Amino acid sequence: MTATMRAVRFDRYGGREVLYLADVAVPCAGPGQVLVKVKAAGINPGEAAIRSGALAERFPATFPSGQGSDFAGVVADTGAEVLGWTWDRASHAEYVLVPETQVVPKPAALGWEAAGSLYVAGATALAATKAVGVSGGEVVAVSAAAGGVGSIAVQLLRRSGVTVLAIASKTNHAWLAGKGAIPIAYGSGLRRELEAFRIDAFIDLHGPAYLDLAVQLGIPPSRINTIISFDEAAEIGARTDGSVAGTSREVLAHLADLAASGRLELPIAATFPLADVRRAFELVEARHTHGKVSASCAEATSIPSTAGARAASTGGKEFAFTA
């Protein structure tokens, strides 16, 4: 009897109502692959955009589609604790199969939820900061600065000696100030507040209005990077570097080391069972969470360690979503 696992799926583009849990076969590792028992897997706003069809031309889905790119867990064959990524939208599941070149060791001091949420946000933040060519002493504005990507980007910029103008709601200002940023509330007075500074670069993590604002502030398009407004970026010549540009084992290992040592904080806010995946995405899509969203899995039944063997049933274990 083929072992099955639970995984999030959707069969067509649409709202959160198209998401469901499916029982699917547990994959078997072949040469150069590792089967990872997922402990935690990040949930990202981009996944909602892909599922809705908003990015169908740029990132088309093949149905039935899974979800999830980043994860942390235990290698089924060896018991090694790892974190990594998948290109197959497959980490929102009890097990994920990836090339062994797409995992790195998980530092013991790094919690599962942070480890499982680090890849997409971390790689995106690192790529965005590099794209605008920052150097110490410069001033960089960051929109959505308290979100999953923004909270990491702010800290990476500050580590580079950059003055960060962190655009976020007032509820997040204390945290941002604690990281050395200058918090600025979004709203009607935003442009006036930003004009008080000589801004060298702009990282947009929210939407097209901020690209317009960056241009109005006189920032060269080559020093504007967005991870969401691709059409508008093409019109003005801004950059669109994101997680793909920032992906490498070296980058992920470096970010994991920073997080494990306390030099990088990845805020985690709330928990959901997997059965509430729609409610978890409702929170994500509201775009007011501070930090990351992740899916955290309770211990699944172990499977045989022999490569290529059929797996035992994983049973009905609980997942959790953390916002």
Side-chain angles (χ1 to χ4, degrees):
M1 180 178 177
T2 301
T4 61
M5 64 179 183
R6 295 183 305 161
V8 176
R9 291 286 187 269
F10 62 99
D11 296 332
R12 66 186 190 280
Y13 292 125
R16 293 181 293 274
E17 72 280 355
V18 304
L19 296 173
Y20 65 95
L21 296 183
D23 290 325
V24 301
V26 177
C28 294
Q33 296 178 313
V34 288
L35 180 65
V36 178
K37 184 192 311 181
V38 177
K39 292 281 192 178
I43 306 175
N44 300 283
E47 289 151 12
I50 289 172
R51 179 251 302 154
S52 72
L55 298 178
E57 291 188 8
R58 192 177 182 91
F59 302 114
T62 301
F63 302 118
S65 177
Q67 287 198 145
S69 297
D70 39 9
F71 63 87
V74 178
V75 176
D77 276 357
T78 67
E81 297 182 351
V82 298
L83 64 154
W85 74 92
T86 171
W87 297 120
D88 298 327
R89 298 174 192 162
S91 67
H92 294 175
E94 288 182 295
Y95 288 91
V96 62
L97 181 66
V98 296
E100 58 188 12
T101 55
Q102 290 175 207
V103 296
V104 301
K106 184 186 82 68
L110 184 60
W112 285 112
E113 284 144 347
S117 304
L118 190 56
Y119 156 65
V120 170
T124 302
L126 190 62
T129 58
K130 287 187 174 182
V132 296
V134 296
S135 59
E138 291 193 312
V139 178
V140 180
V142 181
S143 63
V149 177
S151 59
I152 297 177
V154 165
Q155 294 174 78
L156 294 177
L157 289 167
R158 288 296 299 139
R159 287 181 58 81
S160 299
V162 171
T163 296
V164 180
L165 307 179
I167 304 167
S169 65
K170 290 184 178 179
T171 57
N172 294 312
H173 282 194
W175 185 88
L176 290 164
K179 297 304 178 186
I182 300 174
I184 296 179
Y186 56 77
S188 58
L190 175 60
R191 178 175 175 177
R192 182 175 61 256
E193 289 200 53
L194 292 177
E195 286 177 334
F197 300 87
R198 181 186 176 279
I199 302 174
D200 298 289
F202 202 111
I203 296 175
D204 167 48
L205 308 175
H206 188 273
Y210 286 103
L211 292 188
D212 294 339
L213 176 60
V215 171
Q216 292 166 10
L217 292 170
I219 301 170
S222 63
R223 304 208 65 189
I224 301 170
N225 191 84
T226 180
I227 66 168
I228 191 169
S229 304
F230 304 114
D231 291 342
E232 292 80 1
E235 291 176 4
I236 68 171
R239 301 192 60 162
T240 57
D241 290 15
S243 61
V244 175
T247 295
S248 73
R249 295 180 78 187
E250 293 74 20
V251 164
L252 187 56
H254 173 62
L255 292 169
D257 178 64
L258 289 177
S261 65
R263 291 172 289 168
L264 176 68
E265 181 184 350
L266 186 60
I268 306 291
T271 303
F272 298 86
L274 184 63
D276 285 343
V277 59
R278 296 177 183 175
R279 192 159 62 93
F281 268 97
E282 181 180 9
L283 180 62
V284 174
E285 291 170 49
R287 304 180 76 176
H288 291 298
T289 54
H290 172 40
K292 276 292 302 171
V293 176
S294 82
S296 166
C297 177
E299 189 72 17
T301 303
S302 62
I303 67 169
S305 61
T306 303
R310 291 190 181 278
S313 172
T314 58
K317 302 299 181 181
E318 286 289 310
F319 279 65
F321 282 78
T322 306

